[in-house]
Amino acid sequence: NVLINNNTIIGNHCLINSSCSIDHDNNFENFSSVAPRVVTGGNVFIKKNSFIGIGSIIKNRITIGNNTIIGGNSFVTKDCLSNSTYVGSPAKKIKN
């Protein structure tokens, strides 16, 4: 039950979990992963070693930095810095 749209690039050792919807022109760098029911808009860039929590939504044209965690059921409306944790709707940085 996973949908991955055209021109999406998925790196090595990535996990795209069940019931995810990955829109067009996404880029998942090595070792990045998304939990079940994650939805991404178009042109989303998830950098190395990042994790997107269960049921999260990432709007189009967003970059998630390296080693970043997005908590479950978060709605990401802005780029997220590397080495950080974001939670909520809209997602806010809670720690480095």
Side-chain angles (χ1 to χ4, degrees), residues 38-77:
V38 167
V39 176
T40 65
N43 298 295
V44 170
F45 187 16
I46 300 176
K47 294 189 175 184
K48 293 178 184 171
N49 301 316
S50 291
F51 172 76
I52 313 302
I54 191 168
S56 293
I57 299 170
I58 304 173
K59 79 175 203 79
N60 61 314
R61 296 190 177 126
I62 295 292
T63 297
I64 307 294
N66 294 315
N67 307 307
T68 296
I69 297 170
I70 306 298
N73 291 314
S74 295
F75 180 47
V76 180
T77 60

Side-chain angles (χ1 to χ4, degrees), residues 1-93:
N1 293 329
V2 172
L3 172 65
I4 300 174
N5 267 316
N6 59 324
N7 298 323
T8 290
I9 298 169
I10 299 174
N12 296 318
H13 311 289
C14 292
L15 174 62
I16 309 298
N17 227 305
S18 56
S19 300
C20 289
S21 177
I22 309 302
D23 213 337
H24 64 89
D25 301 298
N26 281 217
N27 188 334
F28 288 72
E29 285 192 345
N30 297 341
F31 299 99
S32 60
S33 62
V34 294
R37 296 188 340 265
V38 167
V39 176
T40 65
N43 298 295
V44 170
F45 187 16
I46 300 176
K47 294 189 175 184
K48 293 178 184 171
N49 301 316
S50 291
F51 172 76
I52 313 302
I54 191 168
S56 293
I57 299 170
I58 304 173
K59 79 175 203 79
N60 61 314
R61 296 190 177 126
I62 295 292
T63 297
I64 307 294
N66 294 315
N67 307 307
T68 296
I69 297 170
I70 306 298
N73 291 314
S74 295
F75 180 47
V76 180
T77 60
K78 296 181 181 177
D79 291 344
C80 296
L81 300 174
S82 293
N83 306 307
S84 302
T85 300
Y86 291 79
V87 297
S89 181
K92 294 188 189 309
K93 184 172 151 182

